[in-house]
Amino acid sequence: QVQLVESGGGLVQEGGSLRLSCAASGRTFSTYCMGWFRQAPGKEREFVAGISRSGDRTFYTNSVKGRFTISRDNAKNTVYLQMNSLKPEDTAVYYCAATSTSYYYIPGHFASWGQGTQVTVSS
Protein backbone atom coordinates (compact mmCIF):
# COMPACT_ATOMS: atom_id res chain seq x y z
CA GLN A 1 0.00 0.00 0.00
CA VAL A 2 1.29 3.44 -0.86
CA GLN A 3 2.16 5.92 1.90
CA LEU A 4 1.30 9.57 1.25
CA VAL A 5 2.63 12.77 2.83
CA GLU A 6 1.21 16.19 1.95
CA SER A 7 2.96 19.53 2.26
CA GLY A 8 2.59 23.11 1.09
CA GLY A 9 -0.45 24.25 3.01
CA GLY A 10 -0.61 27.56 4.82
CA LEU A 11 -2.31 30.91 5.19
CA VAL A 12 -2.88 33.02 2.08
CA GLN A 13 -4.94 36.08 1.22
CA GLU A 14 -7.93 35.92 -1.07
CA GLY A 15 -6.77 35.90 -4.68
CA GLY A 16 -3.44 34.35 -3.80
CA SER A 17 -1.88 31.05 -4.79
CA LEU A 18 -0.52 27.93 -3.13
CA ARG A 19 0.96 24.71 -4.46
CA LEU A 20 0.35 21.54 -2.52
CA SER A 21 2.63 18.55 -2.91
CA CYS A 22 2.08 14.93 -2.03
CA ALA A 23 5.06 12.60 -1.84
CA ALA A 24 4.39 8.90 -2.20
CA SER A 25 6.54 6.05 -0.95
CA GLY A 26 7.33 2.93 -2.89
CA ARG A 27 8.33 2.14 -6.42
CA THR A 28 4.81 1.65 -7.79
CA PHE A 29 3.60 5.25 -7.77
CA SER A 30 2.97 5.25 -11.51
CA THR A 31 0.45 2.40 -11.10
CA TYR A 32 -1.84 4.58 -8.97
CA CYS A 33 -4.33 7.17 -10.02
CA MET A 34 -4.13 10.11 -7.64
CA GLY A 35 -6.53 12.64 -6.26
CA TRP A 36 -7.00 15.57 -3.94
CA PHE A 37 -9.86 15.93 -1.49
CA ARG A 38 -10.69 18.63 1.03
CA GLN A 39 -12.76 18.90 4.18
CA ALA A 40 -13.91 22.16 5.70
CA PRO A 41 -15.06 22.37 9.34
CA GLY A 42 -18.54 20.93 9.73
CA LYS A 43 -18.69 19.73 6.15
CA GLU A 44 -18.26 16.42 4.39
CA ARG A 45 -15.08 15.53 2.56
CA GLU A 46 -15.20 16.83 -1.01
CA PHE A 47 -13.45 15.41 -4.08
CA VAL A 48 -11.46 18.24 -5.65
CA ALA A 49 -9.40 16.76 -8.48
CA GLY A 50 -8.13 13.48 -9.90
CA ILE A 51 -5.41 12.46 -12.33
CA SER A 52 -4.74 9.31 -14.31
CA ARG A 53 -1.64 7.14 -13.95
CA SER A 54 0.26 8.83 -16.77
CA GLY A 55 -1.13 12.28 -16.05
CA ASP A 56 -2.80 12.66 -19.44
CA ARG A 57 -6.31 12.82 -18.03
CA THR A 58 -7.67 14.94 -15.22
CA PHE A 59 -10.93 15.64 -13.44
CA TYR A 60 -12.01 18.69 -11.45
CA THR A 61 -15.02 19.49 -9.37
CA ASN A 62 -16.92 22.45 -10.79
CA SER A 63 -16.03 24.89 -8.03
CA VAL A 64 -12.29 24.73 -8.80
CA LYS A 65 -12.29 24.44 -12.59
CA GLY A 66 -10.09 27.11 -14.15
CA ARG A 67 -8.42 27.88 -10.82
CA PHE A 68 -6.80 24.61 -9.69
CA THR A 69 -4.46 22.33 -11.64
CA ILE A 70 -3.53 18.80 -10.68
CA SER A 71 -0.32 17.33 -12.06
CA ARG A 72 2.13 14.56 -11.27
CA ASP A 73 5.78 13.71 -11.69
CA ASN A 74 6.15 9.94 -11.70
CA ALA A 75 9.95 10.18 -11.61
CA LYS A 76 9.66 12.03 -8.28
CA ASN A 77 6.71 10.02 -6.92
CA THR A 78 4.87 13.27 -6.37
CA VAL A 79 1.47 14.72 -7.20
CA TYR A 80 0.76 18.44 -7.06
CA LEU A 81 -2.22 20.72 -6.72
CA GLN A 82 -1.62 24.25 -7.97
CA MET A 83 -4.28 26.52 -6.52
CA ASN A 84 -4.76 30.01 -7.96
CA SER A 85 -7.32 32.75 -7.35
CA LEU A 86 -8.01 31.30 -3.93
CA LYS A 87 -11.25 32.14 -2.17
CA PRO A 88 -12.21 31.98 1.52
CA GLU A 89 -14.49 29.05 0.69
CA ASP A 90 -11.40 27.07 -0.36
CA THR A 91 -10.36 26.98 3.29
CA ALA A 92 -10.11 23.34 4.35
CA VAL A 93 -7.80 20.49 5.21
CA TYR A 94 -6.57 19.09 1.90
CA TYR A 95 -5.89 15.38 1.56
CA CYS A 96 -3.96 13.48 -1.05
CA ALA A 97 -5.35 10.07 -1.99
CA ALA A 98 -4.51 7.14 -4.23
CA THR A 99 -6.43 4.41 -6.00
CA SER A 100 -5.07 1.31 -7.67
CA THR A 101 -8.03 1.36 -10.05
CA SER A 102 -8.22 3.44 -13.20
CA TYR A 103 -11.16 5.46 -11.89
CA TYR A 104 -9.37 8.72 -11.13
CA TYR A 105 -12.69 10.56 -11.41
CA ILE A 106 -14.73 8.45 -8.93
CA PRO A 107 -14.09 9.46 -5.31
CA GLY A 108 -15.28 6.18 -3.81
CA HIS A 109 -12.38 4.27 -5.38
CA PHE A 110 -9.67 6.10 -3.44
CA ALA A 111 -8.39 3.87 -0.62
CA SER A 112 -5.06 5.30 0.55
CA TRP A 113 -4.88 8.67 2.29
CA GLY A 114 -2.37 11.17 3.57
CA GLN A 115 -2.66 12.97 6.89
CA GLY A 116 -3.79 16.26 5.36
CA THR A 117 -2.48 19.80 5.15
CA GLN A 118 -4.36 22.91 6.23
CA VAL A 119 -5.15 25.65 3.72
CA THR A 120 -6.59 28.88 5.07
CA VAL A 121 -7.69 31.72 2.79
CA SER A 122 -8.32 35.06 4.47
CA SER A 123 -10.65 37.71 3.06
Side-chain angles (χ1 to χ4, degrees):
Q1 191 165 349
V2 64
Q3 306 296 318
L4 305 171
V5 179
E6 302 95 335
S7 62
L11 174 63
V12 63
Q13 288 190 332
E14 185 174 6
S17 298
L18 280 176
R19 188 176 82 154
L20 305 183
S21 299
C22 172
S25 64
R27 287 180 259 180
T28 59
F29 177 70
S30 62
T31 67
Y32 289 90
C33 291
M34 301 298 296
W36 286 95
F37 292 72
R38 65 186 180 187
Q39 188 166 21
K43 295 188 177 181
E44 294 186 354
R45 188 172 294 187
E46 176 188 24
F47 183 40
V48 175
I51 190 167
S52 61
R53 293 184 179 102
S54 66
D56 62 337
R57 290 165 290 162
T58 57
F59 170 87
Y60 298 94
T61 193
N62 285 339
S63 61
V64 308
K65 282 181 181 177
R67 300 189 298 123
F68 290 12
T69 302
I70 187 171
S71 62
R72 66 189 295 164
D73 186 335
N74 286 345
K76 295 183 178 180
N77 283 10
T78 303
V79 62
Y80 305 96
L81 186 67
Q82 177 67 44
M83 305 185 294
N84 299 328
S85 302
L86 282 162
K87 304 175 181 180
E89 51 263 43
D90 295 318
T91 295
V93 177
Y94 282 71
Y95 298 90
C96 174
T99 174
S100 58
T101 75
S102 59
Y103 297 107
Y104 63 94
Y105 50 92
I106 300 180
H109 281 264
F110 288 85
S112 298
W113 299 85
Q115 82 290 349
T117 185
Q118 176 71 46
V119 171
T120 303
V121 184
S122 63
S123 58

